């Protein structure tokens, strides 16, 4: 193992043991005292138990602490305010330790040894974390970046880092290392993925402490941003002095806008036999690794992922078992990838066979029948819902004279709605602007065409969209986030979202109504569970809303019962920037609603009520 890798691993372990010692103080296993060294007052840890119980054999003493004092090395739960709930989770002293605390003449050497054993007993080796550190060290060596230069850039405001390491799982593992450990200096850090506009400071208060914000640039293809969105993110982060981190894996590439402006650019080759030997040495020691050099050398290291390393190498497991597991996982991964390539080749062959000589694919009978049904029923869709391949539904506007008193209820119009306040005014203003737009007197970019409707369930958000459809005399494309999330995989979900907006553009001018828009969630730190999935969904919606601004004729209306759970970036200027809350109807509004739905029958009801009231 080279000097840089050894140093970084020692730092990682030192930081973890320091956190364990602080935890032991909070739980009462260690105590903090002061001492005078060369005229300086310094703090030091001392055990709250009798260190004479320790025999001086490190392995045996670690196990003794784990067996008898494990409760003192477990972090206490937190209350509703995020503070440690020590009273309900305070460990109980074993009977044989309760009577004999420190102060019985133990020398400084025994005290220091006891503190060290406590820290080592609570240490949990995170194999993925250690592997990430080793991969980072290898990338620094390969790229010729000195550690002092890296630290110097971290000290400056708004540094930009580009890291590309060809290992599956590294894109998520490196931000996790930055956020969840104190490994990177000048922290702690919290990562913000893509356009977190509500963060206006270099530092923010998160989880009970101030953390330095860094912008993590999304690189994975599933939620890669457009060039304009990427530029906006970089300008925001650099303007606020926040660091920028872009991490790429095997089949991804760091965006050019980040790569060309990076202060530090690291590139690593990934997992190889030397890396495996270093990782095994960090866990088992150099002597154990040297005895199995031959077995390690034949492992197909390039086929392994970070998850494979954590599965195969576990503390306490014999090194030979770990090596055999690594070899088996590598062979399995290689066979699986070959199998996937064969399936892709077969699928490509089938596509070529089914194509016409002209190069166009022959439409299936199902496609032809669907096309015929669409053309034959185009005149019958007015006022009726029709399912679309995107999962969206479309309703055509009713003519203004569709209903007459005595024969049926009149069409639902914005003009006849009551209790909608600002939403009604917005829709009527849009109706007037739409006439000017269709006449060529008003540019689409000068119109307010994005609306977020919020309010308790049952306040008529969907009814408002139907009324807009009839008043504006344009189609209404209706979908919901739950419809989008019916996709089995993330790619299918993102395709449903994109196809829905494409469907709206094809029907322009039209209204796109997205219900339950709060279900798309908010972006979270990249190290959190399922962060890739939800961040990809939010980023895709942001991209589509930005595209809708440039797509003339598409009016986007989002509806939610919980506006506070919508990502702030969705409500930015150019997206759903107009927010109108629909309150519960008061008595005049209820009277207007009843008047609309009862129509001519209202006179009969009122007359009957008057007659009943006149009886004695």
């Amino acid at each position: 193992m080279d000097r840089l890798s050894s140093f970084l691993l020692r730092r990682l372990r030192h930081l973890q043991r320091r956190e364990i010692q602080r935890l032991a103080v909070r739980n009462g296993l260690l105590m903090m005292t002061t001492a005078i060294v060369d005229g300086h007052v310094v703090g030091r840890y001392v055990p709250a138990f009798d260190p004479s119980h320790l025999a001086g054999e490190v392995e045996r003493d670690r196990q003794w602490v784990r067996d008898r004092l494990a409760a003192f090395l477990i972090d206490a739960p937190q209350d509703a305010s995020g503070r440690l709930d020590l009273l309900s989770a305070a460990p109980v002293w074993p009977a044989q330790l309760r009577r004999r605390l420190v102060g019985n003449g133990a020398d400084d050497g025994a005290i220091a040894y006891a503190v060290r054993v406590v820290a080592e007993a609570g240490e949990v080796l995170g194999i993925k974390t250690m592997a990430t550190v080793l991969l980072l060290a290898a990338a620094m060596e390969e790229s010729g970046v000195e550690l002092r230069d890296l630290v110097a850039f971290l000290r400056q405001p708004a540094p930009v880092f580009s890291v590309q390491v060809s290992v599956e799982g590294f894109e998520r593992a490196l931000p996790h290392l930055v956020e969840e450990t104190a490994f990177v200096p000048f922290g702690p850090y919290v990562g913000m993925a893509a356009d977190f506009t509500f963060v206006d400071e270099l530092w923010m208060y998160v989880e009970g402490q101030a953390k330095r914000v860094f912008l993590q640039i999304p690189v994975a293809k599933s939620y890669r941003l457009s060039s304009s969105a990427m530029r906006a993110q970089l300008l925001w982060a650099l303007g606020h002095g926040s660091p920028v981190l872009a991490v790429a894996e095997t089949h991804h590439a760091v965006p050019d806008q980040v790569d060309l402006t990076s202060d530090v650019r690291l590139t690593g080759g990934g997992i190889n036999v030397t890396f495996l030997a270093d990782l095994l040495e960090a866990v088992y020691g150099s002597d154990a690794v040297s005895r199995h050099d031959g077995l390690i050398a034949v492992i197909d290291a390039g086929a392994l992922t970070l998850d494979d390393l954590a599965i195969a190498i576990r503390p306490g497991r014999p090194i030979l078992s770990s090596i055999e597991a690594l070899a088996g996982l590598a062979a399995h991964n290689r066979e699986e990838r070959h199998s996937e390539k064969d399936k892709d080749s077969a699928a490509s062959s089938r596509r070529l066979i089914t194509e016409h000589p002209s190069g166009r694919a022959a439409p299936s009978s199902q496609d032809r029948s669907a096309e015929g049904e669409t053309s034959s029923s185009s005149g019958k869709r007015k006022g009726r819902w029709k399912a679309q391949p995107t999962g969206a539904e479309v309703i055509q506007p009713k003519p203004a004279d569709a209903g007459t008193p005595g024969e049926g209820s009149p069409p639902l119009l914005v003009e006849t709605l009551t209790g909608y306040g600002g939403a009604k005014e917005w829709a009527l203003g849009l109706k007037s602007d739409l006439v000017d737009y269709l006449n060529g007197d008003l540019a689409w970019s000068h119109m307010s065409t994005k609306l977020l409707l919020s309010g308790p369930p049952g306040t008529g958000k969907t009814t408002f969209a139907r009324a807009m459809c009839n008043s504006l005399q344009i189609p209404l494309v209706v979908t919901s986030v739950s419809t989008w999330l019916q996709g089995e995989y993330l790619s299918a979900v993102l395709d449903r979202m994109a196809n829905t907006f494409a469907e709206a553009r094809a029907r322009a001018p039209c209204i796109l109504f997205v219900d339950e828009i709060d279900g798309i969630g908010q972006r979270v730190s990249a190290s959190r569970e399922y962060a890739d999935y939800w961040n990809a969904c939010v980023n895709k919606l942001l991209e589509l809303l930005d595209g809708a601004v440039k797509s003339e004729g598409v009016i986007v209306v989002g509806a939610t019962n919980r506006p506070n759970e919508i990502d702030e970036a969705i409500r930015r200027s150019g997206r759903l920037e107009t927010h109108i809350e629909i309150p519960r109807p008061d008595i005049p509004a209820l009277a207007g609603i009843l008047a609309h739905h009862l129509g001519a029958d209202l006179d009969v009801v009122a007359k009957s009520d008057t007659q009943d009231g006149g009886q004695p």
Side-chain angles (χ1 to χ4, degrees):
M1 185 181 302
D2 58 48
R3 292 180 59 189
L4 178 61
S5 298
S6 178
F7 171 77
L8 293 180
L9 284 178
R10 288 199 309 272
R11 171 177 170 79
L12 182 67
R13 280 184 160 163
H14 169 73
L15 292 171
Q16 184 181 16
R17 291 172 182 175
R18 188 177 66 182
E19 288 301 315
I20 294 169
Q21 290 170 343
R22 292 173 178 172
L23 174 62
V25 170
R26 291 200 303 268
N27 286 349
L29 182 59
L30 298 180
M31 297 185 298
M32 175 66 74
T33 63
T34 58
I36 298 178
V37 178
D38 295 334
H40 299 282
V41 179
V42 297
R44 69 166 184 169
Y45 297 111
V46 296
F49 60 93
D50 185 1
S52 64
H53 290 283
L54 304 178
E57 300 178 12
V58 178
E59 289 295 336
R60 176 182 173 184
D61 291 338
R62 287 177 191 160
Q63 193 59 46
W64 182 89
V65 172
R66 293 190 187 106
D67 292 342
R68 291 165 176 79
L69 303 171
F72 292 87
L73 301 175
I74 299 174
D75 206 351
Q78 296 180 346
D79 58 21
S81 302
R83 294 171 297 194
L84 292 178
D85 188 5
L86 295 176
L87 295 179
S88 62
V92 178
W93 276 98
Q96 69 273 24
L97 299 178
R98 189 180 306 146
R99 297 186 301 271
R100 304 178 63 186
L101 300 181
V102 68
N104 56 357
D107 59 19
D108 291 342
I111 291 176
Y113 175 76
V115 172
R116 170 196 163 195
V117 168
V118 167
E120 295 178 356
E123 181 182 20
V124 178
L125 295 178
I127 301 301
K128 287 183 67 173
T129 303
M130 296 172 65
T132 304
V133 170
L134 289 175
L135 289 171
L136 185 63
M140 292 174 61
E141 289 285 353
E142 185 174 335
S143 305
V145 176
E146 297 288 340
L147 183 60
R148 65 172 66 91
D149 297 332
L150 188 64
V151 173
F153 281 114
L154 277 170
R155 183 180 287 110
Q156 299 176 4
V160 180
F161 301 91
S162 168
V163 184
Q164 187 167 3
V165 174
S166 302
V167 177
E168 182 179 337
F170 186 79
E171 183 173 338
R172 187 171 181 178
L174 183 57
H176 184 275
L177 174 70
V178 175
E179 289 186 297
E180 302 300 327
T181 71
F183 180 77
V184 179
F186 314 117
Y189 294 87
V190 57
M192 296 296 174
D195 222 3
F196 271 72
T197 56
F198 55 85
V199 178
D200 294 326
E201 303 291 341
L202 178 64
W203 296 81
M204 66 179 300
Y205 203 68
V206 179
E207 298 174 351
Q209 60 179 325
K211 292 190 176 183
R212 189 183 185 190
V213 176
F214 73 92
L215 180 71
Q216 185 191 353
I217 297 296
V219 174
K221 291 181 179 179
S222 59
Y223 57 99
R224 193 181 181 94
L225 300 177
S226 62
S227 296
S228 59
M230 185 73 65
R231 188 179 298 108
Q233 292 177 27
L234 287 173
L235 288 173
W236 170 85
L238 300 179
H240 288 79
S242 295
V244 176
L245 174 65
V247 188
E249 292 181 5
T250 307
H251 53 284
H252 302 146
V254 173
D256 292 338
Q257 290 167 308
V258 179
D259 189 55
L260 294 173
T261 59
S262 295
D263 297 305
V264 176
R265 187 180 296 107
L266 302 179
T267 303
I271 297 177
N272 53 32
V273 173
T274 302
F275 167 85
L276 287 182
D278 289 345
L279 182 60
L280 291 170
E281 178 182 340
V283 178
Y284 296 104
S286 57
D287 292 340
V289 172
S290 61
R291 291 194 298 268
H292 301 89
D293 281 340
L295 295 176
I296 299 174
V298 299
I299 297 176
D300 187 4
L304 294 171
T305 68
L306 281 177
D307 288 339
D308 293 332
L309 301 178
I311 293 172
I313 305 173
R314 299 191 295 273
R317 191 182 195 195
I319 184 173
L320 187 58
S321 299
S322 296
I323 294 174
E324 291 175 350
L326 289 171
L329 289 171
H332 171 77
N333 291 347
R334 188 67 71 184
E335 292 175 1
E336 196 173 54
R337 290 168 188 171
H338 284 316
S339 177
E340 290 177 356
K341 289 181 180 179
D342 293 341
K343 290 180 181 179
D344 292 340
S345 299
S348 300
S349 300
R350 287 195 297 271
R351 285 195 297 270
L352 291 173
I353 293 173
T354 57
E355 286 184 351
H356 281 307
S358 62
R360 289 189 174 184
S364 64
S365 59
Q366 182 178 359
D367 295 335
R368 290 193 296 268
S369 62
E371 183 179 354
E373 180 183 350
T374 301
S375 59
S376 63
S377 62
S378 60
K380 304 178 182 179
R381 293 187 300 178
K382 290 186 177 181
R384 298 184 60 188
W385 297 96
K386 178 175 175 61
Q388 302 297 317
T390 61
E393 295 177 313
V394 178
I395 185 172
Q396 297 293 336
K398 292 182 179 181
D401 57 352
T404 58
E407 297 180 0
S409 61
L412 192 64
L413 300 172
V414 173
E415 290 84 347
T416 61
L417 293 178
T418 57
Y420 283 85
K424 180 177 180 179
E425 295 176 3
W426 180 86
L428 293 178
L430 179 60
K431 179 180 179 180
S432 176
D433 290 343
L434 185 61
V435 173
D436 293 339
Y437 165 75
L438 295 175
N439 292 333
D441 298 330
L442 182 65
W444 185 263
S445 59
H446 295 164
M447 299 167 55
S448 176
T449 58
K450 306 292 184 297
L451 175 67
L452 175 63
L453 278 179
S454 66
T459 50
K461 295 182 286 292
T462 306
T463 300
F464 178 78
R466 291 174 180 254
M468 281 187 60
C469 170
N470 293 330
S471 290
L472 275 59
Q473 286 295 294
I474 57 177
L476 174 65
V477 180
V478 179
T479 188
S480 66
V481 170
S482 61
T483 301
W484 290 341
L485 296 180
Q486 289 175 5
E488 185 175 0
Y489 299 104
L490 175 60
S491 58
V493 174
L494 301 182
D495 286 344
R496 278 175 173 260
M497 297 171 65
N499 292 338
T500 301
F501 277 79
E503 172 79 7
R505 288 193 296 270
R507 295 179 178 272
C510 73
I511 304 166
L512 174 58
F513 181 74
V514 184
D515 201 6
E516 306 168 354
I517 199 168
D518 55 278
I520 207 72
Q522 298 180 350
R523 288 160 300 172
V524 297
S525 168
S527 63
R528 305 291 174 85
E529 190 175 14
Y530 307 120
D532 291 346
Y533 185 95
W534 292 113
N535 289 346
C537 292
V538 176
N539 287 327
K540 187 64 176 179
L541 181 57
L542 295 176
E543 176 187 332
L544 293 170
L545 288 173
D546 285 336
V549 173
K550 304 176 183 67
S551 300
E552 292 193 4
V554 180
I555 299 166
V556 183
V557 179
T560 177
N561 301 332
R562 300 172 295 179
N564 294 332
E565 297 187 17
I566 297 177
D567 194 287
E568 289 291 334
I570 296 176
R571 298 163 59 175
R572 286 192 63 192
S573 176
R575 296 163 184 161
L576 300 183
E577 57 186 355
T578 302
H579 177 203
I580 298 177
E581 182 178 359
I582 302 177
R584 294 189 183 276
D586 53 16
I587 293 178
L590 287 173
I593 294 171
L594 292 174
H596 170 77
H597 288 284
L598 291 176
D601 294 336
L602 182 62
D603 295 335
V604 178
V605 174
K607 182 178 179 180
S608 174
D609 182 64
T610 302
Q611 291 175 350
D612 293 342
Q615 293 178 357

